[in-house]
Amino acid sequence: MNSILFEPLVLKNRTVPNRFLAQAMEGNDGDKGAPSERTIRRYTELAKGGWGITVVEAVSVWETSLARINGMILKRKNLDSFKRLIGEFKKYNSEGLIFIQLTHSGERSGKFSEIVTLTPDRAGPRYLSSDEIERIKDAFVEAALLAREAGADGIDFKMCHGYFCGEMLRPANTRDDKWGGSFENRTRFFREAVAEIKSRLTQPDFIMGSRISLYEGIRGGCGTAGRDEIIEDLSGMIEVIRSMDDLGMDFVNVSAGIPALTGAITRPTQSSKYLVYHQLRYAKTVKDTIQKENRSLKVIGSAYSTFKEEAPLIMEEMLGKSYVDLCGFGRQIFADPLTPVKLKQGEKINWCLLCSGCSKLMAAQMNDGCIIYNPYYRELNRNLKV
Ligand SMILES: Cc1cc2nc3c(=O)[nH]c(=O)nc-3n(C[C@H](O)[C@H](O)[C@H](O)COP(=O)(O)O)c2cc1C
């Protein structure tokens, strides 16, 4: 198959071989914070699929901020396992790029970890002090440098889906210290962290970007104009994207919603599939701004699994009209890790059925994967029902 889907893309000073991006998807199968044999096998399978970019799922920069009980943590003690994961990946896909998504789960941490918040007056989670936030920022910087040491080609500084860095950006972040209130304060965390990572990186080709939820769908959330607003107003988030570009970041991965609260926006299911058109509009809105202002951030669109077998056609349209630079697949990478290579060779693809099975396994804190096409996860799901 010869099409724009398989055209290379220049990203910073690297070449992405095609326009398929494997989105971060938590498999919840780490071993005490390090990638396990199962984790490494999953990424090796993805490597064989020939995705232009593969993003390693949310990896915590902080020991006690895990959203998944078997989630991974990027600290020096786990570095060798991350090196192995990246090394194995590159054996099977030397052309594609591999990034690590760095996160702190904040309010979305599990009960087995520590649930914390940076928003004042939130009942329940422990309120984070200004100093603690400073230390979390240092942890992001250290983890980014470790990602580079592990051999990753870049990082995704996770600011989406209601986790710590997304909570920071919200108009509802009314902290009265330097981390809240004004737009400048709410963007300080990522601006300072990214600037420091850049100043400490010795390799100029390391790629940095961020995944954001352009609209979270909650009152005072990202994509609203004030702490009491629910109506979509993207101007604040467009400003965030301008800051990313000004900082010299390389990509923005446009997503939406908070899976735990407004999950149908993030990952539409069979019954909510038309919500995916918001995702297309969000990506186009971002790309329009970037083009109009002659900026260089590359734009990744989300939720392409929702289109099932029509996804390649939608990709052709979105890429052909320059509405996005890369198209990101989440659930489809579980359904068929080999999707790009199979499409290129005209082979039959196992398309995601939007059954929500992987989301249910995730909610149950099980190892996660496709319950339709992969017997291991099918069995886990069967036991879940009993
Ligand atoms: C089981 C599961 C795990 C996920 N893990 C992550 C993650 O680690 N980081 C992230 O940014 N998004 C995560 N997501 C969201 C996906 O990356 C993606 O945005 C979402 O599934 C919509 O895209 P799709 O229609 O292609 O699946 C996850 C989604 C699911 C269902």
Side-chain angles (χ1 to χ4, degrees), residues 74-136:
L74 187 42
K75 291 283 179 201
R76 186 159 291 283
K77 65 176 185 190
N78 296 334
L79 185 61
D80 284 347
S81 309
F82 278 98
K83 276 188 180 160
R84 247 199 80 216
L85 185 151
I86 308 272
E88 288 299 312
F89 181 94
K90 286 188 178 274
K91 275 187 202 162
Y92 295 93
N93 186 348
S94 55
E95 286 187 5
L97 306 184
I98 180 163
F99 302 162
I100 300 181
Q101 185 180 60
L102 300 180
T103 193
H104 182 295
S105 297
E107 278 192 26
R108 309 254 69 88
S109 301
K111 291 200 186 91
F112 46 83
S113 215
E114 193 192 12
I115 308 176
V116 291
T117 185
L118 48 84
T119 311
D121 309 325
R122 186 85 90 223
R126 184 171 68 78
Y127 183 63
L128 286 170
S129 72
S130 194
D131 284 354
E132 279 179 285
I133 294 177
E134 196 78 50
R135 289 206 300 276
I136 295 170

Side-chain angles (χ1 to χ4, degrees), residues 302-309 311 328-333 351-352 354:
S302 290
Y304 279 78
S305 311
T306 319
F307 297 106
K308 300 184 194 166
E309 63 275 12
F329 289 82
R331 292 161 292 181
Q332 182 60 28
I333 74 162
W351 291 107
C352 171
L354 311 181

Side-chain angles (χ1 to χ4, degrees), residues 259-300:
L261 303 174
T262 55
I265 308 177
T266 312
R267 43 174 152 76
T269 58
Q270 193 54 32
S271 57
S272 60
K273 63 182 177 192
Y274 299 112
L275 286 176
V276 75
Y277 294 111
H278 290 297
Q279 293 266 5
L280 298 187
R281 174 170 60 84
Y282 293 144
K284 176 180 184 297
T285 304
V286 172
K287 181 77 184 169
D288 282 350
T289 307
I290 284 165
Q291 280 179 323
K292 203 154 62 203
E293 299 178 8
N294 232 348
R295 293 179 180 275
S296 51
L297 275 183
K298 298 293 183 221
V299 179
I300 299 157

